[in-house]
Amino acid sequence: MGLSRLAALHGVATSYSPSPDVTVSVPDDTVIAVLAALGVDAGTPEAVRRSLVATESRSRLLPPTVVVWAGEPLPPALTGLPPGSTVRVEPEPAAGGGAPETGTAGTGTTGGAVPRDPAAPAGWTQPPYGIHRLHVRTPDHHEATATLVVAPARVPQPPERTHGFLVQLYSLLSARSWGMGDLGDLADLAAWAGRTLGSGFVQVNPLHAAFPGRPTDPSPYRPSSRRFPDPVHLHVESIPEYGQLHDRAILDDLRQDAAALSEAVLNKGALIDRDAVWELKRQALELIAEVPLTPGRRAAYCDFLAEQGQGLEDHALWCALAEVHGPDWHSWPEPLRDPRSPATARARSRLLDRVDLHCRLAWLTATQLADAQRAAEDAGMEIGIVHDLAVGVHPAGADTWAQRDLFAHGMSVGAPPDAFNARGQDWGLPPWRPDALAATGYAAFRGLLRGLLAHAGALRIDHVMGLFRLWWVPEGRPPTDGTYVSYDAEAMLAVLVLEAHRAGAVVVGEDLGTVEPGVREALARRGVLGTSVLWFERDWDGDGRPLAPEKWRQDCLATATTHDLPSTAARLTGDHVTLRHRLGLLTRTLEEELTEDVTGTAEWLALLARLRMLPEGDGDEPAAVRAVHRFLAATPARMIGVWLPDTVGDRRPQNLPGTWDQYPNWRLPIADPEGHPVTLEEITASPRLHALVEVLRPQRSRTAPPGERPV
């Protein structure tokens, strides 16, 4: 009982329910290990008693974070203070040293007076939206402080129902790419889709800074840092200083080598080689960095440095140290493992030129991210670029070094056993400590969101359930021996809503798989859209058959597939089952798997036929893909996402969960049904694409005068 009580006080679960009628107990060893990662000793019965006494004696007048939602009653943390208590609110300076956020809570963005809550303590006046310090003093002279988050009730919503494309940027090669898709290609895709198709958004994979190595981990969901983008995505020729180089011979040679990389991918069956691309771009960028910045460019760069502050300096220093000592900071000389040590300060001075280079690359990448969003907006896109936030970072990367005290070292995020994976999952990502986040006023989370939203029309949050709880797996143990650790979801959501409001950005949560009761409702209340994938939308509370379009939820991004799932063509043909069979991933016979898959697909095709969405009849694969998207258009979903490879009939998944070197995850270019890579130019000219998109805009005219969007 003592261990269970101690675990509950720290948000550590001692049991979980994979289904409503099943409860699984968590091994005591797991609970003890997780508590240890939170700085709580529970190794012996006596240690449990001591920790319980210490925890329960730390009664708080205030929780670490207090949330006030616009237009809603004050929280019990304020209304339940001892009678006669007084409060004082101290606005926290904005990032970069500017003025604090303005705008009155409870009145949207228009400001104005807010009626005083009769239960409010003395001294309380409604603060503006933002992050503040709350000070409380009781009549018996007890004092307490907490972080106060004052947030709008909801995140911004899409201005109108819209459709757009989902794409893994590296897979989108154009005729000018350096071996993989880049931010210039993204801007071109957005400008074309907005102007020609009336699309409202383009969603991309996480563009976070990758963990370097030989080879580099190609997964965009296991980055070195989520706070800063990766300069491998830069379009070199768009950098203004590129055109000011006088000796262009070396650059011309590099461009020829880059063209050879693209040629190998597009015409010779080679995989996308991120390391080879980065080696060429690195050499080019180092040459470009030698060109002096013009006064205006220098001023813009200095502004960027001031805005990013210590976070950017730490990230750039980690990059410079990794070049000298290798990417895993755990193997560096002991003094350099601490970002605040005197030895690290001396290394910073020695490596100043490299630190400045990495700072400049971050600035150049941020500039091109802004250019891509501007291109989308100029093309009339209602939302623009939808960026993706990975659930975590590499355990040896820049973020875990710079923010080491925020992470639960020796732990990994994953998923418990479920109907789809009896062994559970271990993603190899160290989790944030909820206690450390709260103690720092969620500063790291705020900075992360602000950086991602700076040049985004929307943000997709991978595994959005992680705002509420995460499955922690102790190092060296199987995922089945993990447990859930809870976070302050109210505070996390308030920070998310506040930052999205400041950026004017939509938020989409990836809420697929096992979702704790109440999570989807809490997200919907705050305006966070969910994710609905056609093949999973069934009447699970009824007969289990495909869910009719009118019964889908409105507040979601509706798609036919994702980066972790088969393409629509592969799903319709059963190719995804035979692929998994070839790789030895099936847990049943091929015949059993195919029978189940064919049955499920046939149910969907029968529904499409009954709804007269498949006039061409069975046997026409492109027509069936169009019918699937015609169905999505018939749902009330606010956003409809089209997997860009679906527009040309690509049958290969970009990522096949459960594989590592058995399948070329994250390294495939978009291809046609025969597996021949296609360029951005070929995709935009594809009759198959135009026929598919046409079903998503039945009310739009087919032609429009030059320079005007169809309406």
Side-chain angles (χ1 to χ4, degrees):
M1 290 296 293
L3 181 61
S4 296
R5 171 65 178 160
L6 183 63
L9 290 172
H10 292 278
V12 180
T14 54
S15 65
Y16 67 97
S17 297
S19 60
D21 56 343
V22 175
T23 299
V24 178
S25 295
V26 175
D28 285 353
D29 287 350
T30 295
V31 176
I32 292 169
V34 170
L35 285 170
L38 292 170
V40 180
D41 184 4
T44 65
E46 179 58 32
V48 170
R49 286 191 290 271
R50 288 197 304 268
S51 295
L52 263 176
V53 170
T55 301
E56 292 178 330
S57 66
R58 292 196 298 266
S59 60
R60 294 181 60 97
L61 184 60
L62 289 172
T65 303
V66 177
V67 173
V68 171
W69 295 103
E72 297 181 12
L74 294 179
L78 287 172
T79 60
L81 290 170
S85 297
T86 59
V87 301
R88 178 173 59 87
V89 175
E90 176 186 355
E92 183 175 88
E101 179 77 4
T102 59
T104 304
T107 59
T109 59
T110 59
V114 179
R116 176 178 170 79
D117 189 324
W124 173 262
T125 57
Q126 196 78 8
Y129 294 148
I131 308 294
H132 313 283
R133 290 300 292 170
L134 176 65
H135 302 269
V136 170
R137 182 181 177 88
T138 66
D140 55 359
H141 306 297
H142 285 96
E143 297 185 357
T145 61
T147 298
L148 174 65
V149 184
V150 184
R154 289 167 61 83
V155 300
Q157 298 297 290
E160 61 182 59
R161 192 165 190 262
T162 187
H163 72 267
F165 292 112
L166 320 177
V167 62
Q168 300 284 290
L169 181 57
Y170 59 83
S171 70
L172 182 68
L173 280 74
S174 69
R176 67 181 187 181
S177 299
W178 285 41
M180 62 182 279
D182 58 39
L183 291 171
D185 299 322
L186 176 60
D188 273 356
L189 175 64
W192 169 79
R195 295 181 187 279
T196 305
L197 306 177
S199 301
F201 64 92
V202 174
Q203 177 182 301
V204 295
N205 55 287
L207 304 182
H208 309 319
F211 184 77
R214 289 289 180 174
T216 297
D217 186 340
S219 172
Y221 291 92
R222 201 165 182 250
S224 172
S225 172
R226 296 188 294 173
R227 178 66 180 83
F228 297 99
D230 198 310
V232 76
H233 300 113
L234 281 167
H235 179 238
V236 174
E237 292 91 332
S238 293
I239 300 172
E241 288 73 36
Y242 174 88
Q244 298 172 22
L245 273 170
H246 298 298
D247 184 1
R248 307 184 60 84
I250 298 178
L251 270 180
D252 290 342
D253 289 343
L254 292 173
R255 287 184 63 186
Q256 289 181 7
D257 291 343
L261 283 180
S262 292
E263 168 71 14
V265 172
L266 294 172
N267 297 314
K268 298 180 181 178
L271 298 175
I272 292 170
D273 188 341
R274 182 191 181 102
D275 292 330
V277 172
W278 174 238
E279 179 58 27
L280 296 178
K281 287 193 176 183
R282 180 190 61 78
Q283 295 179 56
L285 293 168
E286 288 178 348
L287 287 173
I288 292 170
E290 295 176 3
V291 177
L293 296 173
T294 64
R297 294 270 291 166
R298 169 62 61 181
Y301 178 43
C302 290
D303 284 349
F304 179 79
L305 293 175
E307 289 167 2
Q308 302 303 317
Q310 186 71 53
L312 175 59
E313 188 174 341
D314 287 343
H315 175 73
L317 177 57
W318 181 91
C319 293
L321 287 169
E323 292 173 339
V324 177
H325 300 288
D328 185 348
W329 61 267
H330 299 93
S331 66
W332 294 356
E334 181 70 32
L336 297 181
R337 299 176 197 174
D338 180 357
R340 302 291 171 254
S341 73
T344 301
R346 291 192 294 272
R348 190 188 311 265
S349 297
R350 290 196 306 272
L351 299 170
L352 193 58
D353 287 346
R354 298 303 296 180
V355 171
D356 182 67
L357 172 67
H358 290 292
C359 286
R360 187 182 294 202
L361 295 183
W363 170 59
L364 292 173
T365 311
T367 300
Q368 291 195 5
L369 288 169
D371 292 342
Q373 176 63 11
R374 190 177 305 111
E377 293 172 346
D378 290 347
M381 283 192 164
E382 298 94 339
I383 296 174
I385 309 302
V386 182
H387 287 285
D388 198 352
L389 172 60
V391 71
V393 294
H394 195 287
D399 282 1
T400 58
W401 177 76
Q403 303 172 344
R404 54 190 296 180
D405 293 338
L406 288 180
F407 288 90
H409 300 283
M411 294 288 143
S412 177
V413 173
D418 56 28
F420 300 99
N421 193 326
R423 295 185 293 271
Q425 300 176 57
D426 183 345
W427 302 333
L429 308 169
W432 268 338
R433 288 179 51 164
D435 57 331
L437 281 176
T440 56
Y442 296 87
F445 187 46
R446 287 150 45 195
L448 170 60
L449 291 173
R450 189 163 294 191
L452 286 168
L453 290 166
H455 310 300
L459 179 66
R460 173 192 180 269
I461 301 180
D462 191 42
H463 194 70
V464 72
M465 296 81 78
L467 298 178
F468 296 77
R469 66 178 186 177
L470 283 171
W471 184 257
W472 287 24
V473 181
E475 185 177 348
R477 303 189 187 203
T480 51
D481 286 355
T483 190
Y484 280 113
V485 176
S486 296
Y487 292 76
D488 186 344
E490 187 84 348
M492 299 280 275
L493 278 174
V495 170
L496 172 63
V497 172
L498 175 63
E499 293 300 336
H501 161 75
R502 285 169 163 167
V506 175
V507 178
V508 178
E510 185 270 294
D511 56 351
L512 304 174
T514 302
V515 183
E516 185 182 10
V519 167
R520 287 196 174 104
E521 292 78 6
L523 293 169
R525 183 181 181 190
R526 299 305 167 199
V528 177
L529 304 183
T531 300
S532 294
V533 178
L534 181 132
W535 310 102
F536 303 152
E537 291 297 312
R538 290 175 173 267
D539 184 8
W540 299 115
D541 295 327
D543 58 13
R545 293 187 177 278
L547 198 63
E550 67 273 11
K551 294 184 179 180
W552 283 42
R553 54 180 168 170
Q554 179 181 18
D555 296 329
C556 74
L557 165 65
T559 72
T561 189
T562 73
H563 59 268
D564 281 333
L565 297 172
S567 70
T568 305
R571 177 81 67 172
L572 290 167
T573 59
D575 280 7
H576 67 112
V577 178
T578 56
L579 171 62
R580 293 178 65 82
H581 172 67
R582 289 198 304 272
L583 297 176
L585 300 177
L586 299 183
T587 57
R588 298 179 297 175
T589 67
L590 175 61
E591 183 180 35
E592 289 174 315
E593 293 279 355
L594 283 174
T595 298
E596 181 178 287
D597 185 70
V598 169
T599 300
T601 301
E603 287 181 331
W604 276 104
L605 291 174
L607 176 58
L608 295 174
R610 285 199 304 273
L611 295 174
R612 299 182 180 180
M613 294 182 177
L614 188 53
E616 298 87 351
D618 293 340
D620 187 332
E621 178 191 303
V625 174
R626 290 196 299 273
V628 164
H629 290 84
R630 194 174 282 119
F631 181 96
L632 295 177
T635 72
R638 300 289 298 274
M639 297 171 65
I640 300 171
V642 180
W643 180 236
L644 192 61
D646 274 349
T647 66
V648 290
D650 197 344
R651 298 192 178 193
R652 307 169 306 172
Q654 282 294 316
N655 177 51
L656 188 58
T659 63
W660 177 243
D661 57 359
Q662 309 98 310
Y663 186 81
N665 295 318
W666 318 112
R667 289 173 288 171
L668 292 172
I670 297 175
D672 64 17
E674 287 71 43
H676 301 139
V678 290
T679 64
L680 171 60
E681 293 82 1
E682 291 168 330
I683 292 170
T684 59
S686 167
R688 180 166 176 163
L689 178 147
H690 287 270
L692 191 158
V693 173
E694 196 63 29
V695 308
L696 300 177
R697 49 176 194 158
Q699 304 304 315
R700 297 181 185 272
S701 63
R702 295 177 180 271
T703 60
E708 295 184 16
R709 281 181 51 196
V711 295

